[in-house]
Amino acid sequence: MSTLSDSIAAMREAFIDEARTHGFRLDSDCTALVGDIDIGDQQIEHQIKLDDDFPIRMPRVSTTSGEGGLSWHRESDGSLCLWSSDEASDLPWQSARKLIERITEWHKQSVAGWPDDDPDLDLERYWQPARLSELILYPDLDGLVGRDCLARRKHGGRVLRVDLGKAPTSQQRQRSWGVAVVDVGELAQPVRDFDQLEQLLPARCAGEARRGIEQGRIRILIVRYQRQGHDAALALYAMSRDTRELGAAESAHTGEQTHYVRAGLDAESLLHKKVAIIGLGAVGSSTAELLARSGVGGFTFVEHDQLRPGNCIRHITDHNYLGWNKAEAVRKLLHNAQVIDESCIHVIEDKLTSVDDVEQLFSTHDLVVDATGDNAATALVWMASEALNRPAVSVCLQRGGSVARVDRTLLRDGESHAPPIPPGGPHLDLREGGCGDPISPAPPWACLAAASRAVGMATDLLTDRNQYPPTHIDSLIGDPNATEWE
């Protein structure tokens, strides 16, 4: 019976046979294929090394005499960067012909200076890795270049935080290290060692950095640089007092721009929006978290219930918040996770039954989200929405958690909501002592799926895209009767 190893071995042999038809030969050690490739008006010899895990891993290709020069499209060992990870889904290098064509194109682009280059801010891959287990966190560097800085370690922590501060004394060096921050501007090609770095700095700055490392005062050197106008930084760790022993350490920026860069394209416009969420249970708490992480700048949470042990499997909070009001627990969790400051969240620890309270929510918020799963509360929200001409979103799980339904107001011309979904789903009588209502069998992922749909509809309204239909229904768990409402 054929095994995976047999298949990979066969693919390797097929590649070698095809490469031979293009003039390549195995070297004397049988570790690489060597051959000439026509590059412009000359022939340049290349070697192709196939690792043991070829074709899962791309071959390492290099020129035998160093043609091509320094480039952002070469690895630290001199091999050519031929495909990005986005282009590698079908392992195009399995074909020797395609590989040779790509090598030819690489040289063409190198001569032209990579005019369409999409810059990767990855200078660290041209340095040896540092022997450092901590993650180095640095703030915005504008005010730190050329000034005394420290990297402080907290007891038991896995990070080193960089900020302003004098170089530590010998007694302090176990918990804090000296840091130098330098700026080399736009880089035309990667910098691979301290000697190259030194050539890009003013003489005084370069001399201070070298002396600091050699005297043991500087343990971390942060290099700020640019590629095509994009700011980046490289953190180098001095593994000894020899500037040849600098290694690239794992590092990350802690500024506000980085904090929100993964929040989505709507984050900036959502920052000035306020959302009221009624019901901070399993679906409501996930809705709150996703909206906050997406950039919404202010909230009111309305919830009367306390967090019980059984809630924690589906709620975003955990056993550390047992006995807390669910809304207050969510507020504190989002604050502690540095998603949003707790001062931006107002909590109402009560049921929503007063018409005046509902009117107040609509008048002071851009959107009201009903995640109660309570028909009476939902009806009150919808009546207020229509009377005040203000938008609302309602989200719930139905049919035992097998269906997620999200509705919005206000209806536009020609729109109507989908009809009610017939009751059904798993027939399980789940009860918990001290809890009056039956417990929904909805799994945690179904709660998150419903919340995600609610956030999608809420964001659609808050950004005025208005592309969502008035009702969105997802059949989450296989249901033979799903065709009745889909």
Side-chain angles (χ1 to χ4, degrees):
M1 188 174 81
S2 177
T3 65
L4 178 60
S5 296
D6 293 335
S7 298
I8 288 176
M11 296 171 76
R12 181 187 184 92
E13 288 304 315
F15 179 91
I16 292 173
D17 290 342
E18 184 184 1
R20 282 180 169 138
T21 67
H22 291 275
F24 278 78
R25 65 192 183 279
L26 280 170
D27 64 6
S28 57
D29 297 329
C30 294
T31 58
L33 289 157
V34 180
D36 292 331
I37 298 178
D38 291 328
I39 306 296
D41 57 357
Q42 60 178 323
Q43 286 192 325
I44 298 177
E45 189 177 65
H46 290 71
Q47 69 172 9
I48 303 172
K49 290 187 175 182
L50 305 181
D51 292 335
D52 292 339
D53 51 5
F54 173 86
I56 305 303
R57 180 173 295 182
M58 181 170 56
R60 286 180 294 148
V61 179
S62 59
T63 56
T64 56
S65 54
E67 287 87 354
L70 292 176
S71 167
W72 287 98
H73 291 259
R74 295 189 93 144
E75 302 290 354
S76 56
D77 63 0
S79 59
L80 313 185
C81 295
L82 297 172
W83 280 278
S84 69
S85 58
D86 294 338
E87 303 172 298
S89 59
D90 60 348
L91 308 181
W93 50 78
Q94 295 178 75
S95 163
R97 177 185 58 81
K98 288 183 179 180
L99 180 65
I100 292 169
E101 289 174 352
R102 193 70 167 194
I103 294 169
T104 304
E105 179 63 21
W106 187 97
H107 283 280
K108 178 182 176 182
Q109 293 293 326
S110 183
V111 170
W114 301 97
D116 301 320
D117 194 14
D118 185 13
D120 289 327
L121 306 177
D122 56 354
L123 186 57
E124 63 274 4
R125 69 191 180 99
Y126 297 95
W127 294 71
Q128 63 179 320
R131 297 188 296 273
L132 183 67
S133 59
E134 290 89 352
L135 174 68
I136 297 173
L137 302 180
Y138 58 88
D140 293 335
L141 297 175
D142 289 341
L144 303 185
V145 176
R147 301 180 66 181
D148 291 330
C149 298
L150 279 180
R152 295 179 175 87
R153 177 193 286 113
K154 290 187 176 180
H155 285 300
R158 300 287 292 175
V159 299
L160 288 159
R161 295 184 179 275
V162 173
D163 212 335
L164 290 172
K166 293 289 185 181
T169 65
S170 57
Q171 290 83 7
Q172 296 171 326
R173 285 178 187 166
Q174 283 190 340
R175 292 188 59 193
S176 58
W177 294 342
V179 180
V181 182
V182 298
D183 192 329
V184 296
E186 182 79 24
L187 288 179
Q189 60 189 33
V191 178
R192 301 166 186 259
D193 55 45
F194 186 83
D195 290 341
Q196 291 180 7
L197 182 63
E198 203 170 21
Q199 300 302 312
L200 301 175
L201 296 171
R204 179 179 176 183
C205 177
E208 289 177 351
R210 180 179 286 276
R211 286 191 297 273
I213 293 170
E214 292 175 344
Q215 295 169 8
R217 292 182 290 106
I218 294 175
R219 294 292 300 277
I220 297 173
L221 180 63
I222 297 181
V223 181
R224 186 168 74 165
Y225 67 97
Q226 288 188 327
R227 283 200 67 199
Q228 298 183 17
H230 295 277
D231 293 323
L234 165 70
L236 297 172
Y237 168 61
M239 294 179 281
S240 73
R241 297 192 180 192
D242 188 339
T243 55
R244 292 172 297 183
E245 290 291 316
L246 289 174
E250 292 287 338
S251 64
H253 176 233
T254 61
E256 187 171 300
Q257 180 182 4
T258 294
H259 186 74
Y260 287 107
V261 72
R262 293 176 176 84
L265 300 179
D266 295 323
E268 186 174 352
S269 62
L270 294 176
L271 181 61
H272 304 292
K273 301 294 185 179
K274 291 188 66 178
V275 175
I277 301 177
I278 308 167
L280 274 294
V283 175
S285 64
S286 291
T287 301
E289 180 180 30
L290 291 173
L291 282 171
R293 290 184 181 276
S294 298
V296 172
F299 292 92
T300 293
F301 295 162
V302 183
E303 174 60 67
H304 70 286
D305 203 11
Q306 289 179 306
L307 189 74
R308 298 167 176 266
N311 298 138
C312 295
I313 198 69
R314 294 192 300 215
H315 205 263
I316 68 166
T317 56
D318 56 32
H319 285 75
N320 291 318
Y321 296 92
L322 292 178
W324 287 47
N325 173 273
K326 291 178 181 177
E328 186 61 44
V330 173
R331 175 167 76 165
K332 182 59 70 173
L333 180 141
L334 295 178
H335 173 81
N336 291 342
Q338 299 182 18
V339 174
I340 184 172
D341 191 272
E342 60 186 340
S343 63
C344 299
I345 302 174
H346 175 57
V347 168
I348 299 175
E349 298 186 17
D350 202 352
K351 281 189 175 183
L352 190 70
T353 55
S354 164
V355 172
D356 291 341
D357 289 342
V358 175
E359 286 186 344
Q360 177 71 10
L361 287 181
F362 276 101
S363 65
T364 55
H365 293 79
D366 297 285
L367 181 69
V368 173
V369 177
D370 161 47
T372 61
D374 181 315
N375 291 335
T378 300
L380 179 57
V381 169
W382 278 48
M383 289 172 60
S385 170
E386 293 171 1
L388 301 170
N389 198 35
R390 301 283 292 175
V393 168
S394 179
V395 55
C396 63
L397 286 165
Q398 298 182 358
R399 296 180 66 87
S402 64
V403 176
R405 176 170 180 146
V406 183
D407 295 275
R408 63 151 170 85
T409 59
L410 304 157
L411 291 178
R412 306 178 193 113
D413 290 343
E415 289 186 334
S416 61
H417 291 109
I421 296 174
H427 296 288
L428 299 173
D429 188 17
L430 302 178
R431 299 280 175 172
E432 176 186 344
C435 181
D437 296 327
I439 299 170
S440 167
W445 65 266
C447 300
L448 184 57
S452 297
R453 284 301 188 188
V455 171
M457 188 172 283
T459 302
D460 183 67
L461 291 171
L462 291 168
T463 57
D464 294 322
R465 279 194 294 269
N466 300 320
Q467 295 175 345
Y468 266 61
T471 302
H472 187 96
I473 298 173
D474 277 335
S475 181
L476 302 174
I477 301 172
D479 190 322
N481 300 313
T483 54
E484 295 179 17
W485 58 82
E486 286 184 341

